[in-house]
Amino acid sequence: MIEPLKIVWIASIIFMFLLLVVLLEIRRINYRRENEDMFGTQTFDEKVESMGFTDKEKRTLDKIIRYSSFENKDAVLNSSRLFEDAVDNFYDIRNVFSVRDETLAAVESLRNKLSFTASNPLAEIYSTRQFNVGDRVDLLLENGLRVKRSEIMARSEKEWVITFDTSDGSSYSLVNKEIKVRWTRPDDAIYTTVLPVRQVESGHLVLLHSSSLDKKQLRRWVREQVAFPVTATFQDGSSIGGTLLDLSAGGIMVGLPKECFPGQHMRIQFELPSFGDEDVEIEILRNLGHKNQDYPNYYCHTASFKGAFGWTQERVLQYLFETNKRKKQGIKWVKSS
């Protein structure tokens, strides 16, 4: 009978052998990636030549790609997501704060020349490094304080800077604390991420970057302006009356006599003509203030449906279809008694 100690030794030898095989294979793959031509190299070279990259930018791009897991070398030229994934991986391995300034400048220049920034309305956004100086963001701090319309003052590959009132001195306790940042891209989406505060300086906060952005698509459904009485019930059980101002299958605009904040959840009840009463959960996306001149005392809020809203969405779609058909025929809705 084999002694337990011998079994342990045999198992250890087998494990060490397998580990050595794995390490050798990783070394072989890394050597091949760093020294051999990758798939798509010819296409990559042709595209790079036509884009007018400097020698430094070409070397930096090649380095970023070889640090990535991509098999196709020209993939990063075709997608902002793949470009930002490769950049993030490169910065994680090399530590962005240890990378030379000229290399960081080359990465930023590459992003601009590839039109992968938020300035390009066709570029998909996956990282705060794509945000523009001058854009505005909303903040939610750990203590519940909300700061609206903070401006992006500066942005580098290492960090970015936003305006913040530091006059009372309390903001200096935010260092290394996490804050939620919301950035709205018109006609696209609301992007949200949670970031640590790297530093607090007079009049502004210095934040680290993030490529973990939660994207909530802005409504692209057909909207119908309405004026339905609505009751909003908050999570604490209180309720107020308001008016549903526009309606789509993706969400609504609701006017309420009090301000609500982005991310706030509530239930609303309203009557959909010819379809009956609706009771659905919503999430506030934006507070537009006193936007509607017909309801000057209401704060206008855009919101999306949440939870189990499939039945309501189906009936809203039917209502919008019938409304559009009646408009073409010159027929108005008549509220049933």
Side-chain angles (χ1 to χ4, degrees), residues 280-299:
V280 65
E281 181 184 359
I282 63 171
E283 177 183 353
I284 299 297
L285 297 179
R286 287 188 291 174
N287 177 1
L288 303 178
H290 300 287
K291 180 181 179 180
N292 195 309
Q293 296 180 352
D294 295 331
Y295 299 90
N297 297 323
Y298 281 166
Y299 295 94

Side-chain angles (χ1 to χ4, degrees), residues 94-203:
R94 291 283 301 275
N95 183 359
V96 65
F97 290 97
S98 299
V99 177
R100 293 186 302 173
D101 289 342
E102 53 266 35
T103 300
L104 296 175
V107 174
E108 183 171 2
S109 180
L110 286 167
R111 184 182 294 109
N112 291 329
K113 289 183 177 181
L114 290 167
S115 295
F116 286 161
T117 71
S119 297
N120 178 8
L122 300 179
E124 295 288 338
I125 304 301
Y126 298 98
S127 170
T128 54
R129 292 187 176 93
Q130 296 174 266
F131 291 0
N132 293 318
V133 174
D135 286 348
R136 294 183 178 274
V137 297
D138 298 332
L139 308 179
L140 177 61
L141 279 59
E142 281 188 335
N143 60 7
L145 176 66
R146 292 175 180 83
V147 179
K148 299 176 63 177
R149 313 300 289 170
S150 180
E151 184 177 350
I152 300 176
M153 299 173 59
R155 188 210 64 243
S156 70
E157 293 297 296
K158 296 179 181 179
E159 58 200 14
W160 52 306
V161 183
I162 60 174
T163 56
F164 193 83
D165 182 8
T166 59
S167 58
D168 64 358
S170 61
S171 56
Y172 289 88
S173 63
L174 293 174
V175 176
N176 297 325
K177 299 290 183 63
E178 291 187 334
I179 63 173
K180 180 178 286 187
V181 179
R182 288 177 180 266
W183 173 65
T184 301
R185 191 187 194 194
D187 300 320
D188 176 24
I190 296 175
Y191 296 85
T192 306
T193 188
V194 176
L195 297 171
V197 177
R198 175 172 168 77
Q199 192 174 351
V200 176
E201 299 177 357
S202 179

Side-chain angles (χ1 to χ4, degrees), residues 4 13 29 38 42 57-58 70 72 83 96 105 109-110 129 131 147 156 161 173 198 207 269 293 297 301 304 337:
I13 292 172
I29 293 173
M38 295 176 60
Q42 182 177 351
E57 290 166 353
K58 292 176 183 178
F70 305 147
N72 193 335
F83 177 83
V96 65
S109 180
L110 286 167
R129 292 187 176 93
F131 291 0
V147 179
S156 70
V161 183
S173 63
R198 175 172 168 77
L207 307 177
Q269 298 82 40
Q293 296 180 352
N297 297 323
H301 304 85
S304 62
S337 57

